Amino acid sequence: MQWIESLLETVVGYVWNIPMVVLLIGTGILLSLLLGTRRGPVQLRGFLHAIDIVRGRYDDPDEPGQISHFQALTTALSATVGLGNIAGVAVAMHFGGPGATFWMIVAGFVGMATKYAECTLAVKYRHIDENGVVHGGPMHYIERGLGKRWRPLAVFFALAAIAASFGAANMFQTNQVAIILESAYAVPRAVTGVTIAILTGMVILGGITRIGKVTAFLVPFMGGIYMLGAALVIAMNLPLVPELLLRIVTEAFTGTAAAGGFAGIAISQVLIQGVRRAAFSNEAGLGSAPIAHAAAATDEPVREGVVALLEPFIDTVIICTMTALVILITGAWAVGPEVAKPGVELTAYAFNQVIPGFGTWFVPIAVAMFAYSTLISWSYYGERAVDYIFREKSKGAILAYKAVFCVLAFVGAMWTYGPVLNFSDIMLGLMVVPNLLAVWMLFPQLRHDTINYFARLDRGEFDQDARLAAEHRAAHGKKIV
């Protein structure tokens, strides 16, 4: 196993280096500017409109798709809000220092434009079969948007997505849950692995509809409690916040000086860790979320893209920043592994310093719930990738994939931390290149659709959609979710 761990560590160093940082941040910056309007970047132009869409203002039950805008958002968020926010931030700060938080926020903000672009394309180039099942995501907009000669690139993306669903979204999740439950409650890792595998299988057999219903409950509930806990820690130490925010910005450009037994950190490492963990957290540019958003019930691709841009904002700009402040307030980022290992243990340790018992009792539960929601969402991503590769013969392949997925949930619980994290990062990195290549090659159509949609919005052409949705809500006594 030692040589495997060494190989994974070497490969991840090549995949996640300055070129990947430039690709992700550069793409986000350019898309922010090129897809913007006179009212500013697409993130700002579409933000309030996105909230109206999620509230169901434009929902039409007769539009094609399998889930509502809200369910598409929570399904995608359930794959991102979770261990990336709890464990990923702790890892970024331990290896990159406080300045890594700044680059996480930057990556989150520009990632809003990237997420908008890829999810708009996912709806535009999806296709719905005779059974009403949606087939969408980067593999489909690569082939359907660029032409069949690009299928090898689409297959490469699909294979990377399947591998990532086994690693980042499965084994890493169960690994962290097993660690924190063993530490907090002395639950054997094998018990955690078996339990998660069974619970995951119970949901993923029901497909995207059941997944959407589960995540629509779990994400707002658990995310809300976690944010309240973080907000309480910050409020109790409010005088420290301005100084800490200044430190985050300063050390983003100067690196972190050695302090006590903690090694100094170079600027390049601060930058790489911030962007790497942000990508792990909000998945902008990876091409995973478009698979969920492709299933949204809408005939307006841009409308779903607007919904998607909320994800990096919620996930990274808000939740990751709150976690980072909790860790900074307590000084937990610089403690050694003998006190708390980088990851969920470090975040739990930080909470306990201010709210005794919160890190011990609630954080493990939050980790388990977040990991579970990530598992079931990413199982759908992998399932759609399998469906793309095998097509008409996919029924048996999908069943086999789900079985392997559940088995690997157990394997992840038993494996060690380092190899799981490195394998996860490698697979996620391999998804970026084919996805962003397709986004840029399809950019002219994307820009045309963006300008056209917002021009119609400004002219009030969607007011009729809002009136029809309001009438439907009044008739059924609830909004469409």
Side-chain angles (χ1 to χ4, degrees):
M1 294 298 295
Q2 185 61 44
W3 74 269
I4 295 178
E5 294 183 22
S6 178
L7 176 64
L8 290 174
E9 189 170 343
T10 300
V11 174
V12 79
Y14 285 109
V15 174
W16 285 99
N17 213 313
I18 293 298
M20 182 66 77
V21 170
V22 172
L23 178 61
L24 287 170
I25 297 295
T27 292
I29 292 173
L30 288 175
L31 289 175
S32 299
L33 298 174
L34 298 177
L35 293 176
T37 66
R38 289 175 297 176
R39 298 189 184 183
V42 67
Q43 298 98 313
L44 303 181
R45 178 66 184 89
F47 193 84
L48 293 179
H49 182 50
I51 295 174
D52 281 339
I53 298 170
V54 172
R55 287 175 50 238
R57 184 179 178 189
Y58 303 97
D59 282 354
D60 182 349
D62 296 324
E63 287 183 331
Q66 292 179 275
I67 55 178
S68 71
H69 292 292
F70 179 74
Q71 288 176 332
L73 175 64
T74 55
T75 298
L77 274 174
S78 70
T80 59
V81 175
L83 293 186
N85 309 91
I86 299 176
V89 175
V91 170
M93 296 185 67
H94 182 78
F95 293 108
T101 305
F102 175 85
W103 295 114
M104 289 187 74
I105 296 171
V106 169
F109 180 76
V110 301
M112 293 169 70
T114 306
K115 190 71 74 85
Y116 162 83
E118 56 189 355
C119 291
T120 296
L121 293 173
V123 176
K124 182 177 181 62
Y125 291 103
R126 71 182 179 182
H127 71 97
I128 303 175
D129 63 27
E130 62 277 6
N131 297 317
V133 177
V134 175
H135 305 266
M139 51 276 191
H140 291 279
Y141 57 71
I142 290 173
E143 180 176 345
R144 293 167 67 86
L146 301 179
K148 291 189 178 296
R149 68 182 183 279
W150 290 90
R151 177 168 162 77
L153 186 67
V155 170
F156 176 83
F157 173 87
L159 290 172
I162 293 169
S165 76
F166 290 151
N170 188 333
M171 292 192 291
F172 175 70
Q173 306 295 321
T174 56
N175 177 269
Q176 291 291 281
V177 173
I179 287 174
I180 196 69
L181 291 183
E182 184 179 49
S183 173
Y185 304 123
V187 178
R189 290 194 179 195
V191 172
T192 298
V194 169
T195 302
I196 292 178
I198 293 173
L199 292 176
T200 300
M202 290 170 61
V203 173
I204 67 176
L205 291 175
I208 186 60
T209 303
R210 187 181 298 174
I211 290 171
K213 290 179 179 178
V214 172
T215 57
F217 168 76
L218 277 182
V219 172
F221 178 69
M222 297 304 299
I225 296 176
Y226 180 79
M227 290 173 66
L228 282 174
L232 180 59
V233 172
I234 294 169
M236 293 171 65
N237 297 271
L238 203 55
L240 298 176
V241 172
E243 180 184 346
L244 293 176
L245 291 175
L246 179 62
R247 183 177 184 182
I248 286 172
V249 176
T250 302
E251 295 192 14
F253 299 95
T254 62
T256 299
F262 195 81
I265 302 169
I267 299 175
S268 61
Q269 187 65 15
V270 175
L271 177 61
I272 291 171
Q273 283 296 331
V275 175
R276 179 173 165 183
R277 299 271 66 85
F280 190 98
S281 179
N282 65 49
E283 300 176 12
L286 269 62
S288 51
I291 300 174
H293 284 279
T298 184
D299 56 7
E300 293 283 354
V302 170
R303 185 171 294 168
E304 190 57 30
V306 170
V307 171
L309 64 79
L310 291 175
E311 292 165 23
F313 179 80
I314 296 170
D315 176 275
T316 306
V317 178
I318 295 180
I319 302 180
C320 284
T321 301
M322 294 177 76
T323 301
L325 285 174
V326 170
I327 294 172
L328 275 176
I329 285 170
T330 60
W333 68 278
V335 303
E338 67 280 356
V339 177
K341 295 178 182 177
V344 291
E345 285 189 32
L346 187 65
T347 304
Y349 170 83
F351 272 105
N352 273 337
Q353 303 312 297
V354 181
I355 310 176
F358 189 87
T360 303
W361 298 102
F362 176 73
V363 170
I365 296 173
V367 166
M369 294 296 99
F370 283 145
Y372 179 59
S373 64
T374 299
L375 275 166
I376 60 178
S377 295
W378 262 89
S379 71
Y380 176 72
Y381 298 164
E383 172 193 325
R384 292 297 87 199
V386 170
D387 173 78
Y388 173 78
I389 293 173
F390 290 92
R391 296 190 172 182
E392 64 274 1
K393 299 178 180 179
S394 65
K395 190 172 182 179
I398 289 174
L399 187 61
Y401 164 81
K402 290 180 176 180
V404 172
F405 190 87
C406 292
V407 169
L408 288 179
F410 174 79
V411 173
M414 303 301 293
W415 207 6
T416 56
Y417 165 84
V420 172
L421 185 60
N422 286 331
F423 176 75
S424 301
D425 283 344
I426 292 168
M427 293 304 106
L428 292 174
L430 291 178
M431 294 170 64
V432 172
V433 177
N435 178 52
L436 292 187
L437 176 62
V439 168
W440 281 114
M441 293 182 72
L442 294 169
F443 176 78
Q445 185 63 52
L446 177 65
R447 177 165 169 75
H448 173 272
D449 291 350
T450 299
I451 294 172
N452 177 267
Y453 179 87
F454 283 110
R456 287 187 290 147
L457 177 66
D458 291 338
R459 291 195 298 266
E461 292 186 16
F462 299 133
D463 291 347
Q464 177 66 17
D465 293 347
R467 284 193 294 272
L468 290 174
E471 291 172 4
H472 186 275
R473 288 195 298 272
H476 292 80
K478 59 180 180 179
K479 82 175 195 178
I480 310 165
V481 293

PDB file of all heavy atoms in Angstrom, residues 50-75:
ATOM      1  N   ALA A  50     -32.162  34.766  -9.604  1.00  0.00           N
ATOM      2  CA  ALA A  50     -32.005  33.367  -9.199  1.00  0.00           C
ATOM      3  C   ALA A  50     -32.852  33.054  -7.971  1.00  0.00           C
ATOM      4  O   ALA A  50     -33.463  31.979  -7.875  1.00  0.00           O
ATOM      5  CB  ALA A  50     -30.533  33.075  -8.908  1.00  0.00           C
ATOM      6  N   ILE A  51     -32.896  33.985  -7.039  1.00  0.00           N
ATOM      7  CA  ILE A  51     -33.698  33.777  -5.828  1.00  0.00           C
ATOM      8  C   ILE A  51     -35.176  33.661  -6.187  1.00  0.00           C
ATOM      9  O   ILE A  51     -35.905  32.813  -5.652  1.00  0.00           O
ATOM     10  CB  ILE A  51     -33.453  34.919  -4.829  1.00  0.00           C
ATOM     11  CG1 ILE A  51     -31.994  34.876  -4.337  1.00  0.00           C
ATOM     12  CG2 ILE A  51     -34.412  34.822  -3.637  1.00  0.00           C
ATOM     13  CD1 ILE A  51     -31.603  36.038  -3.464  1.00  0.00           C
ATOM     14  N   ASP A  52     -35.646  34.506  -7.111  1.00  0.00           N
ATOM     15  CA  ASP A  52     -37.045  34.418  -7.561  1.00  0.00           C
ATOM     16  C   ASP A  52     -37.336  33.058  -8.196  1.00  0.00           C
ATOM     17  O   ASP A  52     -38.400  32.471  -7.979  1.00  0.00           O
ATOM     18  CB  ASP A  52     -37.340  35.521  -8.582  1.00  0.00           C
ATOM     19  CG  ASP A  52     -37.573  36.871  -7.919  1.00  0.00           C
ATOM     20  OD1 ASP A  52     -37.904  36.884  -6.718  1.00  0.00           O
ATOM     21  OD2 ASP A  52     -37.429  37.904  -8.604  1.00  0.00           O
ATOM     22  N   ILE A  53     -36.392  32.568  -8.980  1.00  0.00           N
ATOM     23  CA  ILE A  53     -36.593  31.276  -9.653  1.00  0.00           C
ATOM     24  C   ILE A  53     -36.684  30.152  -8.630  1.00  0.00           C
ATOM     25  O   ILE A  53     -37.570  29.295  -8.689  1.00  0.00           O
ATOM     26  CB  ILE A  53     -35.442  30.997 -10.644  1.00  0.00           C
ATOM     27  CG1 ILE A  53     -35.411  32.058 -11.744  1.00  0.00           C
ATOM     28  CG2 ILE A  53     -35.607  29.602 -11.268  1.00  0.00           C
ATOM     29  CD1 ILE A  53     -34.174  31.989 -12.613  1.00  0.00           C
ATOM     30  N   VAL A  54     -35.763  30.145  -7.672  1.00  0.00           N
ATOM     31  CA  VAL A  54     -35.737  29.093  -6.650  1.00  0.00           C
ATOM     32  C   VAL A  54     -37.007  29.125  -5.806  1.00  0.00           C
ATOM     33  O   VAL A  54     -37.517  28.084  -5.374  1.00  0.00           O
ATOM     34  CB  VAL A  54     -34.480  29.238  -5.762  1.00  0.00           C
ATOM     35  CG1 VAL A  54     -34.541  28.281  -4.583  1.00  0.00           C
ATOM     36  CG2 VAL A  54     -33.222  28.960  -6.582  1.00  0.00           C
ATOM     37  N   ARG A  55     -37.536  30.317  -5.561  1.00  0.00           N
ATOM     38  CA  ARG A  55     -38.781  30.446  -4.808  1.00  0.00           C
ATOM     39  C   ARG A  55     -39.973  29.884  -5.575  1.00  0.00           C
ATOM     40  O   ARG A  55     -41.061  29.732  -5.020  1.00  0.00           O
ATOM     41  CB  ARG A  55     -39.048  31.920  -4.502  1.00  0.00           C
ATOM     42  CG  ARG A  55     -38.135  32.505  -3.417  1.00  0.00           C
ATOM     43  CD  ARG A  55     -38.349  34.003  -3.228  1.00  0.00           C
ATOM     44  NE  ARG A  55     -39.771  34.295  -3.074  1.00  0.00           N
ATOM     45  CZ  ARG A  55     -40.461  35.125  -3.874  1.00  0.00           C
ATOM     46  NH1 ARG A  55     -39.872  35.694  -4.898  1.00  0.00           N
ATOM     47  NH2 ARG A  55     -41.724  35.368  -3.637  1.00  0.00           N
ATOM     48  N   GLY A  56     -39.792  29.564  -6.837  1.00  0.00           N
ATOM     49  CA  GLY A  56     -40.864  28.980  -7.627  1.00  0.00           C
ATOM     50  C   GLY A  56     -41.679  29.978  -8.416  1.00  0.00           C
ATOM     51  O   GLY A  56     -42.756  29.652  -8.921  1.00  0.00           O
ATOM     52  N   ARG A  57     -41.171  31.204  -8.556  1.00  0.00           N
ATOM     53  CA  ARG A  57     -41.951  32.233  -9.222  1.00  0.00           C
ATOM     54  C   ARG A  57     -42.265  31.877 -10.669  1.00  0.00           C
ATOM     55  O   ARG A  57     -43.311  32.260 -11.186  1.00  0.00           O
ATOM     56  CB  ARG A  57     -41.196  33.570  -9.172  1.00  0.00           C
ATOM     57  CG  ARG A  57     -42.009  34.707  -9.764  1.00  0.00           C
ATOM     58  CD  ARG A  57     -41.286  36.038  -9.700  1.00  0.00           C
ATOM     59  NE  ARG A  57     -42.090  37.071 -10.316  1.00  0.00           N
ATOM     60  CZ  ARG A  57     -41.658  38.308 -10.574  1.00  0.00           C
ATOM     61  NH1 ARG A  57     -40.412  38.635 -10.258  1.00  0.00           N
ATOM     62  NH2 ARG A  57     -42.440  39.197 -11.141  1.00  0.00           N
ATOM     63  N   TYR A  58     -41.357  31.158 -11.328  1.00  0.00           N
ATOM     64  CA  TYR A  58     -41.551  30.844 -12.747  1.00  0.00           C
ATOM     65  C   TYR A  58     -41.823  29.362 -12.996  1.00  0.00           C
ATOM     66  O   TYR A  58     -41.823  28.915 -14.145  1.00  0.00           O
ATOM     67  CB  TYR A  58     -40.316  31.266 -13.553  1.00  0.00           C
ATOM     68  CG  TYR A  58     -39.971  32.725 -13.410  1.00  0.00           C
ATOM     69  CD1 TYR A  58     -39.002  33.143 -12.498  1.00  0.00           C
ATOM     70  CD2 TYR A  58     -40.614  33.690 -14.175  1.00  0.00           C
ATOM     71  CE1 TYR A  58     -38.677  34.483 -12.354  1.00  0.00           C
ATOM     72  CE2 TYR A  58     -40.296  35.036 -14.046  1.00  0.00           C
ATOM     73  CZ  TYR A  58     -39.328  35.425 -13.133  1.00  0.00           C
ATOM     74  OH  TYR A  58     -39.016  36.753 -12.989  1.00  0.00           O
ATOM     75  N   ASP A  59     -42.032  28.573 -11.947  1.00  0.00           N
ATOM     76  CA  ASP A  59     -42.215  27.128 -12.108  1.00  0.00           C
ATOM     77  C   ASP A  59     -43.475  26.818 -12.910  1.00  0.00           C
ATOM     78  O   ASP A  59     -44.548  27.364 -12.649  1.00  0.00           O
ATOM     79  CB  ASP A  59     -42.297  26.438 -10.749  1.00  0.00           C
ATOM     80  CG  ASP A  59     -40.931  26.269 -10.098  1.00  0.00           C
ATOM     81  OD1 ASP A  59     -39.941  26.594 -10.766  1.00  0.00           O
ATOM     82  OD2 ASP A  59     -40.865  25.830  -8.947  1.00  0.00           O
ATOM     83  N   ASP A  60     -43.317  25.910 -13.846  1.00  0.00           N
ATOM     84  CA  ASP A  60     -44.441  25.448 -14.665  1.00  0.00           C
ATOM     85  C   ASP A  60     -44.421  23.922 -14.649  1.00  0.00           C
ATOM     86  O   ASP A  60     -43.475  23.315 -15.155  1.00  0.00           O
ATOM     87  CB  ASP A  60     -44.306  25.965 -16.097  1.00  0.00           C
ATOM     88  CG  ASP A  60     -45.471  25.546 -16.990  1.00  0.00           C
ATOM     89  OD1 ASP A  60     -46.271  24.684 -16.567  1.00  0.00           O
ATOM     90  OD2 ASP A  60     -45.583  26.064 -18.111  1.00  0.00           O
ATOM     91  N   PRO A  61     -45.448  23.270 -14.093  1.00  0.00           N
ATOM     92  CA  PRO A  61     -45.441  21.801 -13.999  1.00  0.00           C
ATOM     93  C   PRO A  61     -45.474  21.104 -15.349  1.00  0.00           C
ATOM     94  O   PRO A  61     -45.200  19.907 -15.441  1.00  0.00           O
ATOM     95  CB  PRO A  61     -46.714  21.500 -13.198  1.00  0.00           C
ATOM     96  CG  PRO A  61     -47.597  22.677 -13.441  1.00  0.00           C
ATOM     97  CD  PRO A  61     -46.675  23.854 -13.530  1.00  0.00           C
ATOM     98  N   ASP A  62     -45.782  21.849 -16.409  1.00  0.00           N
ATOM     99  CA  ASP A  62     -45.853  21.240 -17.733  1.00  0.00           C
ATOM    100  C   ASP A  62     -44.545  21.312 -18.499  1.00  0.00           C
ATOM    101  O   ASP A  62     -44.430  20.764 -19.596  1.00  0.00           O
ATOM    102  CB  ASP A  62     -46.960  21.921 -18.565  1.00  0.00           C
ATOM    103  CG  ASP A  62     -48.336  21.703 -17.957  1.00  0.00           C
ATOM    104  OD1 ASP A  62     -48.577  20.605 -17.414  1.00  0.00           O
ATOM    105  OD2 ASP A  62     -49.162  22.632 -18.014  1.00  0.00           O
ATOM    106  N   GLU A  63     -43.555  21.997 -17.927  1.00  0.00           N
ATOM    107  CA  GLU A  63     -42.272  22.095 -18.603  1.00  0.00           C
ATOM    108  C   GLU A  63     -41.508  20.778 -18.490  1.00  0.00           C
ATOM    109  O   GLU A  63     -41.682  20.033 -17.523  1.00  0.00           O
ATOM    110  CB  GLU A  63     -41.444  23.241 -18.012  1.00  0.00           C
ATOM    111  CG  GLU A  63     -41.967  24.620 -18.406  1.00  0.00           C
ATOM    112  CD  GLU A  63     -41.106  25.750 -17.872  1.00  0.00           C
ATOM    113  OE1 GLU A  63     -40.474  25.558 -16.814  1.00  0.00           O
ATOM    114  OE2 GLU A  63     -41.082  26.805 -18.508  1.00  0.00           O
ATOM    115  N   PRO A  64     -40.645  20.467 -19.481  1.00  0.00           N
ATOM    116  CA  PRO A  64     -39.924  19.192 -19.478  1.00  0.00           C
ATOM    117  C   PRO A  64     -38.877  19.128 -18.374  1.00  0.00           C
ATOM    118  O   PRO A  64     -38.225  20.117 -18.058  1.00  0.00           O
ATOM    119  CB  PRO A  64     -39.260  19.167 -20.864  1.00  0.00           C
ATOM    120  CG  PRO A  64     -39.104  20.619 -21.228  1.00  0.00           C
ATOM    121  CD  PRO A  64     -40.319  21.295 -20.651  1.00  0.00           C
ATOM    122  N   GLY A  65     -38.707  17.943 -17.784  1.00  0.00           N
ATOM    123  CA  GLY A  65     -37.732  17.731 -16.730  1.00  0.00           C
ATOM    124  C   GLY A  65     -38.285  16.810 -15.665  1.00  0.00           C
ATOM    125  O   GLY A  65     -39.450  16.397 -15.721  1.00  0.00           O
ATOM    126  N   GLN A  66     -37.464  16.464 -14.676  1.00  0.00           N
ATOM    127  CA  GLN A  66     -37.861  15.509 -13.649  1.00  0.00           C
ATOM    128  C   GLN A  66     -37.967  16.119 -12.257  1.00  0.00           C
ATOM    129  O   GLN A  66     -38.671  15.582 -11.413  1.00  0.00           O
ATOM    130  CB  GLN A  66     -36.851  14.345 -13.606  1.00  0.00           C
ATOM    131  CG  GLN A  66     -36.888  13.448 -14.846  1.00  0.00           C
ATOM    132  CD  GLN A  66     -35.864  12.327 -14.759  1.00  0.00           C
ATOM    133  OE1 GLN A  66     -34.708  12.510 -15.108  1.00  0.00           O
ATOM    134  NE2 GLN A  66     -36.287  11.174 -14.277  1.00  0.00           N
ATOM    135  N   ILE A  67     -37.269  17.228 -12.013  1.00  0.00           N
ATOM    136  CA  ILE A  67     -37.292  17.847 -10.680  1.00  0.00           C
ATOM    137  C   ILE A  67     -37.412  19.357 -10.833  1.00  0.00           C
ATOM    138  O   ILE A  67     -37.145  19.916 -11.899  1.00  0.00           O
ATOM    139  CB  ILE A  67     -36.015  17.497  -9.876  1.00  0.00           C
ATOM    140  CG1 ILE A  67     -34.748  17.875 -10.661  1.00  0.00           C
ATOM    141  CG2 ILE A  67     -35.999  16.033  -9.498  1.00  0.00           C
ATOM    142  CD1 ILE A  67     -33.461  17.611  -9.914  1.00  0.00           C
ATOM    143  N   SER A  68     -37.818  20.032  -9.734  1.00  0.00           N
ATOM    144  CA  SER A  68     -37.980  21.484  -9.770  1.00  0.00           C
ATOM    145  C   SER A  68     -36.624  22.182  -9.697  1.00  0.00           C
ATOM    146  O   SER A  68     -35.589  21.572  -9.430  1.00  0.00           O
ATOM    147  CB  SER A  68     -38.852  21.928  -8.593  1.00  0.00           C
ATOM    148  OG  SER A  68     -38.127  21.787  -7.379  1.00  0.00           O
ATOM    149  N   HIS A  69     -36.647  23.513  -9.928  1.00  0.00           N
ATOM    150  CA  HIS A  69     -35.424  24.311  -9.789  1.00  0.00           C
ATOM    151  C   HIS A  69     -34.858  24.166  -8.380  1.00  0.00           C
ATOM    152  O   HIS A  69     -33.649  24.034  -8.197  1.00  0.00           O
ATOM    153  CB  HIS A  69     -35.735  25.789 -10.064  1.00  0.00           C
ATOM    154  CG  HIS A  69     -36.097  26.089 -11.476  1.00  0.00           C
ATOM    155  ND1 HIS A  69     -35.197  25.999 -12.517  1.00  0.00           N
ATOM    156  CD2 HIS A  69     -37.274  26.487 -12.028  1.00  0.00           C
ATOM    157  CE1 HIS A  69     -35.792  26.334 -13.648  1.00  0.00           C
ATOM    158  NE2 HIS A  69     -37.049  26.635 -13.377  1.00  0.00           N
ATOM    159  N   PHE A  70     -35.740  24.215  -7.381  1.00  0.00           N
ATOM    160  CA  PHE A  70     -35.298  24.113  -5.989  1.00  0.00           C
ATOM    161  C   PHE A  70     -34.648  22.766  -5.720  1.00  0.00           C
ATOM    162  O   PHE A  70     -33.593  22.685  -5.076  1.00  0.00           O
ATOM    163  CB  PHE A  70     -36.490  24.325  -5.054  1.00  0.00           C
ATOM    164  CG  PHE A  70     -36.142  24.227  -3.595  1.00  0.00           C
ATOM    165  CD1 PHE A  70     -35.441  25.246  -2.967  1.00  0.00           C
ATOM    166  CD2 PHE A  70     -36.502  23.116  -2.838  1.00  0.00           C
ATOM    167  CE1 PHE A  70     -35.106  25.168  -1.611  1.00  0.00           C
ATOM    168  CE2 PHE A  70     -36.174  23.027  -1.497  1.00  0.00           C
ATOM    169  CZ  PHE A  70     -35.481  24.060  -0.884  1.00  0.00           C
ATOM    170  N   GLN A  71     -35.239  21.694  -6.215  1.00  0.00           N
ATOM    171  CA  GLN A  71     -34.671  20.361  -6.000  1.00  0.00           C
ATOM    172  C   GLN A  71     -33.362  20.194  -6.748  1.00  0.00           C
ATOM    173  O   GLN A  71     -32.440  19.537  -6.253  1.00  0.00           O
ATOM    174  CB  GLN A  71     -35.676  19.291  -6.421  1.00  0.00           C
ATOM    175  CG  GLN A  71     -36.859  19.167  -5.476  1.00  0.00           C
ATOM    176  CD  GLN A  71     -37.897  18.170  -5.965  1.00  0.00           C
ATOM    177  OE1 GLN A  71     -38.041  17.957  -7.169  1.00  0.00           O
ATOM    178  NE2 GLN A  71     -38.624  17.567  -5.042  1.00  0.00           N
ATOM    179  N   ALA A  72     -33.250  20.782  -7.941  1.00  0.00           N
ATOM    180  CA  ALA A  72     -31.985  20.723  -8.676  1.00  0.00           C
ATOM    181  C   ALA A  72     -30.893  21.448  -7.893  1.00  0.00           C
ATOM    182  O   ALA A  72     -29.755  20.970  -7.794  1.00  0.00           O
ATOM    183  CB  ALA A  72     -32.151  21.350 -10.062  1.00  0.00           C
ATOM    184  N   LEU A  73     -31.252  22.610  -7.318  1.00  0.00           N
ATOM    185  CA  LEU A  73     -30.286  23.371  -6.537  1.00  0.00           C
ATOM    186  C   LEU A  73     -29.850  22.597  -5.294  1.00  0.00           C
ATOM    187  O   LEU A  73     -28.651  22.493  -5.001  1.00  0.00           O
ATOM    188  CB  LEU A  73     -30.896  24.714  -6.119  1.00  0.00           C
ATOM    189  CG  LEU A  73     -30.042  25.595  -5.195  1.00  0.00           C
ATOM    190  CD1 LEU A  73     -28.770  26.039  -5.886  1.00  0.00           C
ATOM    191  CD2 LEU A  73     -30.843  26.809  -4.726  1.00  0.00           C
ATOM    192  N   THR A  74     -30.813  22.027  -4.558  1.00  0.00           N
ATOM    193  CA  THR A  74     -30.451  21.313  -3.326  1.00  0.00           C
ATOM    194  C   THR A  74     -29.713  20.010  -3.624  1.00  0.00           C
ATOM    195  O   THR A  74     -28.845  19.602  -2.850  1.00  0.00           O
ATOM    196  CB  THR A  74     -31.695  21.011  -2.471  1.00  0.00           C
ATOM    197  OG1 THR A  74     -32.665  20.284  -3.256  1.00  0.00           O
ATOM    198  CG2 THR A  74     -32.322  22.285  -1.951  1.00  0.00           C
ATOM    199  N   THR A  75     -30.038  19.370  -4.744  1.00  0.00           N
ATOM    200  CA  THR A  75     -29.311  18.152  -5.114  1.00  0.00           C
ATOM    201  C   THR A  75     -27.855  18.478  -5.409  1.00  0.00           C
ATOM    202  O   THR A  75     -26.932  17.796  -4.942  1.00  0.00           O
ATOM    203  CB  THR A  75     -29.957  17.479  -6.335  1.00  0.00           C
ATOM    204  OG1 THR A  75     -31.288  17.079  -6.015  1.00  0.00           O
ATOM    205  CG2 THR A  75     -29.157  16.244  -6.758  1.00  0.00           C
TER     206      THR A  75
END
